[in-house]
Amino acid sequence: MKHHIQDLLTRAIEQLQQDASLPAELSSDIQIEHSRGRGKEHGDYASNIALMLAKAARCNPRQLAERITDALPQSSQISRVEIAGPGFINFFVTSNAFQQIVVDIHNAGEAFGRSTIGNGQVVQVEFVSANPTGPLHVGHGRGAAYGAAVADLLVAAGFKVHREYYVNDAGRQMDILAASVWLRYLEQCGEAIVFPSNGYRGDYVRDIAATIHNAHGNTLRHPAQAVMENLPADANKDGSGGDKEAHIDALIARAKQLLGNAHYRTVFDAGVDTILHGIREDLEMFGVVYEAWFSERELVESGAVERAIERLKKSDKLYERDGAWWFRSSQYGDEKDRVVVRENGETTYFASDIAYHMNKLERGFERTIDIWGADHHGYVPRIKAALQALGEDPKTLDVLLVQFAILYRGGEKMQMSTRSGEFVTLRELCDEVGRDAARFFYVMRKCEQHMDFDLELAKSQSNDNPVYYVQYAHARICSVMRQQQEKGLDWQRDDGFANLEQLSEPHEQALMSRLSRYPQVIENSALNHEPHQLAYYLRELATEFHTYYNAHQFLVDDSAQRNARIALITAVGQVLRNGLALLGVTAAETM
RNA sequence: GCGCCCGUAGCUCAGCUGGAUAGAGUGCCACCCUCCGAAGGUGGAAGUCACAGGUUCGAAUCCUGUCGGGCGCGCCA
């Protein structure tokens, strides 16, 4: 319908241009919007085209609007056109054209709302990608819910989507995890260990240690004294005293030395594998699935990082200083140059990430989307710089930054830190509030908005959480259909289609109008990466259904009216299911 | 200090590629089921769109500055 009106306006303006009553070089995208005004006073669709073109046409907007409407071709789908306010053109759609949406929804079913606007373009979406140093917590949950929704929306909009989790299973943080696990293991063997301030303190580290102890007994045991002697001093809690980084690095070196490669690997792998397995399970439970889990370690071992560095060296994008290799990112808009190879010969996380993004392009993705926590925003310029330095177009990469979910427990802000082990896990959250509530709640806000997440409120299962409201609308529709069967009233879909002119109540008109907007909502949500638009839409649709439900009986004696109304509400049910599915929320038949 | 994000009803947030009287949920007040599920509906009160300038027919929306909050500014990831 929107495109139809757009077409009518285009033809009207071309007509005026031929009459030379409008400048020929005039060009403007014709924007059609659903009217926002209360009730129907502003019609069903509106265009501000006359306001947009008034200046170029050198006449006042209202006069221009009149000339445009005079030139509009006739359409069987438009009942009336009005000029209002400063020069808006309001279109009133015939009720026949409106009712068609009910038939369309039934015919398309699950496919209703999908489009081909993405044109099969291949887009890779990387999200969550939390380091496997601990279980996912509620902060990761937001990225997971958001990323999954964006990916599903893109699929609905006709893109070909490849979802990927980048596993940082190489590098220093993983060594710190391995050292932490080993020290807990030694404790369980009875050694008196002073745990490093920089180690991972969560209970899950003890669990992994216990598993190792069960499997390997004391074979990995070394005396505490041998482990701890001659280490650089650790820092105190307040940061004073020794160097915590030097301390933990020395501890890692000591672990490798005492255990030897094979045994160190045993501890290391036990840590990564256990945690990664947990993360996969948690995401699966959360309804988030990936096409691929991409291992940083495999990237390094394949030589891709080395190749990336060589490629940059060859084109003089790297230089040596203070024993390290630096990337000239400041030449591409970054604040300063960045190290890719450390003085000790180890490559940095950044080096891996350059290789990873190079690899994405080599795999043929036309567009890539990275979804990161907002604390990484300073990282965007350097990764775009790297793409540019490699001769790639940085615009093919969209980085979406998800702000933190600030946790409250009963109005009190909670501090979270993976290292200290004080955090609420995603699993705990879902156990408490349910997966559906969590998924919906997370995408209610646009990603750059800070989010307050009060656990007590979410746990209370109160009506504050709008997911129940939307699900209830769906359950109610299902309930009506159960009643229809129990009462032995028959429901003939085709008879309903044939009697859609019965749907003349304002509530019914409002619902059909809302339903007709759904495809546009999907398109906007997908292209703008804004699942919250869909969440809001679903709540509005649910509201209009509940209002209708309270105002009118559906299971009436008049079969023509009954079938028409059931056709309408089952169409509503279909759209609720389609929309909730895209957000990863179930549409239960009973609650 | 520099950079990014945010500031809209008591609270949580939509609206931001400039357009019509700034919306919703929640909370508060008053109502509505002998009727398909009251996890619902109807009505009401509630706003200097942080502040100050600017751009123009028109600014919550764009520009500049100020204030307030969050985050970042490692040879960590």
Side-chain angles (χ1 to χ4, degrees):
Chain A
M1 179 56 62
K2 196 171 152 173
H3 296 299
H4 176 63
I5 294 171
Q6 222 158 6
D7 182 50
L8 294 178
L9 281 172
T10 306
R11 281 156 63 191
I13 288 166
E14 281 168 3
Q15 171 79 38
L16 291 176
Q17 285 174 330
Q18 277 175 17
D19 298 349
S21 53
L22 271 184
E25 70 278 9
L26 208 63
S27 77
S28 173
D29 286 337
I30 298 176
Q31 296 292 327
I32 308 296
E33 299 299 333
H34 288 270
S35 293
R36 296 179 215 164
R38 296 180 231 287
K40 298 269 282 179
E41 59 183 305
H42 292 151
D44 301 302
Y45 293 85
S47 171
N48 64 352
I49 188 68
L51 295 160
M52 303 291 291
L53 297 182
K55 185 173 280 182
R58 295 169 190 284
C59 70
N60 85 46
R62 271 199 85 100
Q63 279 176 2
L64 180 60
E66 272 175 46
R67 283 158 60 194
I68 291 173
T69 51
D70 286 346
L72 273 178
Q74 285 294 317
S75 165
S76 60
Q77 300 180 56
I78 304 297
S79 64
R80 194 153 49 95
V81 178
E82 275 182 4
I83 298 165
F88 289 98
I89 303 173
N90 293 330
F91 295 85
F92 293 76
V93 174
T94 63
S95 48
N96 271 347
F98 244 154
Q99 289 150 8
Q100 182 61 31
I101 194 68
V102 175
V103 179
D104 292 346
I105 292 168
H106 279 274
N107 286 341
E110 286 180 13
F112 181 73
R114 288 188 206 152
S115 74
T116 54
I117 193 164
N119 213 12
Q121 198 179 36
V122 184
V123 47
Q124 190 243 23
V125 183
E126 183 217 321
F127 62 112
V128 185
S129 299
N131 290 349
T133 54
L136 296 178
H137 55 65
V138 293
H140 300 123
R142 186 171 183 187
Y146 177 75
V150 168
D152 286 354
L153 279 164
L154 287 171
V155 170
F159 291 87
K160 192 153 173 18
V161 174
H162 182 89
R163 302 165 186 82
E164 195 156 302
Y165 187 118
Y166 180 54
V167 184
N168 292 116
D169 52 4
R172 184 164 166 267
Q173 293 302 323
M174 300 311 303
D175 283 322
I176 295 177
L177 175 72
S180 302
V181 168
W182 188 49
L183 292 172
R184 291 304 189 201
Y185 161 88
L186 291 175
E187 278 180 356
Q188 287 166 17
C189 292
E191 296 293 337
I193 293 296
V194 181
F195 201 78
S197 61
N198 219 11
Y200 289 101
R201 294 178 170 276
D203 288 340
Y204 61 91
V205 176
R206 288 193 168 89
D207 295 342
I208 297 165
T211 305
I212 295 174
H213 197 203
N214 284 339
H216 298 273
N218 283 347
T219 56
L220 305 174
R221 181 171 179 174
H222 288 264
Q225 198 217 339
V227 176
M228 308 303 291
E229 72 183 347
N230 293 329
L231 292 176
D234 197 2
N236 298 318
K237 268 184 183 169
D238 59 4
S240 68
D243 183 339
K244 62 180 182 179
E245 306 291 354
H247 178 74
I248 196 100
D249 280 337
L251 206 42
I252 291 164
R254 183 66 52 82
K256 288 179 178 171
Q257 174 208 328
L258 290 174
L259 284 168
N261 272 344
H263 280 171
Y264 180 78
R265 201 80 216 162
T266 300
V267 174
F268 186 101
D269 286 347
V272 179
D273 292 350
T274 305
I275 289 170
L276 205 53
H277 184 72
I279 287 174
R280 278 173 188 261
E281 279 187 343
D282 287 354
L283 285 170
E284 216 164 285
M285 168 277 299
F286 202 46
V288 176
V289 291
Y290 290 89
E291 272 72 33
W293 293 68
F294 194 96
S295 161
E296 181 188 3
R297 201 200 301 175
E298 286 173 27
L299 188 74
V300 173
E301 287 169 1
S302 76
V305 177
E306 242 170 278
R307 280 207 311 279
I309 290 170
E310 283 311 310
R311 195 167 146 188
L312 289 170
K313 271 186 187 170
K314 246 178 226 162
S315 53
D316 195 34
K317 302 299 191 301
L318 300 187
Y319 62 91
E320 202 169 4
R321 194 181 77 201
D322 304 331
W325 283 91
W326 299 69
F327 168 54
R328 302 182 193 277
S329 42
S330 60
Q331 287 185 359
Y332 303 94
D334 197 7
E335 291 171 0
K336 50 179 282 194
D337 294 343
R338 310 287 176 177
V339 170
V340 289
V341 185
R342 296 207 274 162
E343 193 180 6
N344 66 8
E346 285 182 42
T347 57
T348 60
Y349 170 87
F350 180 45
S352 293
D353 228 4
I354 294 172
Y356 179 42
H357 283 83
M358 201 170 94
N359 171 282
K360 290 185 187 190
L361 293 165
E362 283 168 356
R363 277 186 282 163
F365 297 119
E366 297 167 81
R367 299 196 63 82
T368 52
I369 295 176
D370 287 359
I371 297 175
W372 297 344
D375 54 333
H376 287 68
H377 71 254
Y379 203 77
V380 178
R382 82 187 70 163
I383 206 76
K384 293 229 174 203
L387 285 176
Q388 212 174 330
L390 290 166
E392 307 289 351
D393 181 3
K395 283 201 283 292
T396 59
L397 168 67
D398 277 326
V399 182
L400 306 179
L401 299 169
V402 179
Q403 291 290 333
F404 282 167
I406 303 164
L407 263 193
Y408 289 81
R409 192 177 283 282
E412 198 169 327
K413 193 170 171 180
M414 294 174 70
Q415 294 300 331
M416 291 208 307
S417 150
T418 306
R419 196 147 304 177
S420 67
E422 293 160 9
F423 53 81
V424 178
T425 64
L426 179 60
R427 183 166 286 276
E428 285 165 351
L429 177 75
C430 290
D431 287 346
E432 288 173 10
V433 309
R435 170 191 140 170
D436 287 340
R439 286 286 302 258
F440 198 88
F441 202 91
Y442 273 131
V443 297
M444 277 292 290
R445 286 151 187 77
K446 58 185 175 187
C447 67
E448 64 264 34
Q449 180 66 249
H450 301 271
M451 185 166 99
D452 288 347
F453 202 131
D454 190 326
L455 286 172
E456 297 299 327
L457 193 68
K459 259 196 298 190
S460 71
Q461 296 242 350
S462 72
N463 307 340
D464 296 339
N465 196 326
V467 67
Y468 293 114
Y469 182 79
V470 178
Q471 286 179 314
Y472 180 46
H474 185 264
R476 250 185 169 173
I477 292 163
C478 296
S479 177
V480 171
M481 297 313 286
R482 285 192 295 272
Q483 282 290 321
Q484 167 259 320
Q485 294 213 334
E486 279 171 28
K487 290 184 176 175
L489 296 164
D490 84 338
W491 144 236
Q492 301 287 339
R493 198 172 81 163
D494 289 338
D495 190 54
F497 289 171
N499 288 289
L500 291 175
E501 79 279 356
Q502 299 267 342
L503 302 175
S504 56
E505 296 286 346
H507 292 107
E508 293 163 338
Q509 297 282 318
L511 264 178
M512 287 186 282
S513 172
R514 181 74 59 186
L515 289 172
S516 70
R517 298 175 192 208
Y518 179 73
Q520 192 66 49
V521 170
I522 297 303
E523 198 175 300
N524 285 345
S525 301
L527 296 179
N528 297 320
H529 315 306
E530 291 182 342
H532 76 274
Q533 288 191 28
L534 176 56
Y536 273 84
Y537 171 87
L538 291 173
R539 202 174 60 183
E540 285 158 3
L541 178 61
T543 298
E544 275 164 352
F545 169 75
H546 286 308
T547 303
Y548 180 39
Y549 178 95
N550 271 56
H552 296 286
Q553 194 81 9
F554 310 144
L555 301 178
V556 292
D557 291 335
D558 178 351
S559 68
Q561 190 172 53
R562 182 177 67 241
N563 282 328
R565 287 183 171 176
I566 292 179
L568 174 59
I569 65 166
T570 48
V572 172
Q574 182 72 59
V575 170
L576 289 174
R577 272 198 301 285
N578 293 0
L580 286 173
L582 289 174
L583 300 181
V585 179
T586 58
E589 300 194 356
T590 59
M591 298 183 69

